[in-house]
Amino acid sequence: MSEPTAFPLRLPEMPLHDPFIVADPESGLYHLYTSNLDSSGTRGVGTMVYRSPNLRDWAEPVPVFLVADEDAPWAVHGAWAPEVHRWNGRWFLFTTLHDADAPLPVPQPGEYGTPFPVANYRRSTIVAAADSLTGPFRMVRPEAPVLPAELMTLDGTLFTDDDGAPWMVCANEWLQRIDGTVEAFPLNRTLDAVDGDPIVLFRGSDASWITRELPAGVPHQIAPYVTDGPQLHRFGDALVCLWSTYEKNRLTNGGIDGDYVQTWAVSPSGRLEGPWEQREPLVRADSGHGMLFTTFEGTLMLVLHRPFTDARGKLYEMAWDGTELKVLRQRTDLDGD
């Protein structure tokens, strides 16, 4: 795929959810991945990419992965939360598909503290490979999920440990776990199968601030413990995990009623198994599913989406002071907010 020659878009004009940015020094372009929309010029479930030389001016999106191009994929819906990582000389796309025709067991309504209708079905993060950041990406295992099929997992991300071994870190849905988790599964070198026992990094309920401001009269219940969008980043000896959840939360007949937030946890030892310390949210106001990246100029940045519905990308300058991850300022000159 050729490089773009025009960059007519700005972030306020770019519908996107769960943004993930790769700063590519070879092309001099930032690649922002999100779920495929008709604006890419091609309909279908998959992933598209916006490209920019400066994080302000963006080219029209183009599709890089389409489920319809696969032979007999195990799922044809979703394509949420795409991420692209370099591994063993190739680029690997992680994105979450789901199959509504493959139901999974549903917890009893009483386990939530109140009757709550749910529809659990197969959901998992697939892995697809390509030689270029612009694809085309093809699934490494189209016939079945990489992670155990009986688990309702989503938002998988690639993590490489100190020994160079690959792991998929993902969220295990609160709809199945009740108390949502962030878990890590060791993968084989081709990233198409689990290669060992998983590790639970932490549970949603470990963030004690989630229930600090529950609405008056609402009984304590497990339902607020959602885990979304884990992404890992090393700072010296420490390992940081970004993740998103809801606070001031309660259940309603229509679903979850609460405020989406971007939060984080830290493993001071740098070990994937922790222990993990939960910290206060970084950004509130219906914001979340963020990731950290470094600009071509060496600035640490956070990109996330806001609001949850009809989302747009938002950018923040960040800093690590040795123990804390801090928001310095929102880059409204770039994101227009």
Side-chain angles (χ1 to χ4, degrees), residues 4-11 13-14 51 56-60:
T5 57
F7 303 91
L9 301 178
R10 301 283 179 84
L11 284 169
E13 304 163 347
M14 296 160 48
R51 288 170 288 175
R56 178 177 176 269
D57 307 294
W58 297 85
E60 296 285 353

Side-chain angles (χ1 to χ4, degrees), residues 97-116:
L97 300 184
H98 63 86
D99 179 5
D101 296 324
L104 295 174
V106 177
Q108 294 302 307
E111 294 181 83
Y112 293 96
T114 183
F116 183 61

Side-chain angles (χ1 to χ4, degrees), residues 13 33 39 44 54 60 65 72-73 86 97 111 115 121 130 139 164 178 213 221 240 242 246 271 293 310:
E13 304 163 347
Y33 297 89
S39 56
N54 55 17
E60 296 285 353
F65 167 71
R86 190 71 169 171
L97 300 184
E111 294 181 83
Y121 44 79
M139 291 168 63
I178 302 179
E213 300 182 55
Q221 52 193 1
V240 163
L242 296 184
Y246 293 84
R271 295 172 61 84
F293 68 99
D310 195 25

Side-chain angles (χ1 to χ4, degrees), residues 104-105 107 112 120 150-152 172-178:
L104 295 174
Y112 293 96
N120 287 4
E150 70 274 12
L151 299 181
M152 202 172 183
N172 202 158
E173 280 278 37
W174 70 278
L175 290 169
Q176 184 177 56
R177 291 291 201 206
I178 302 179

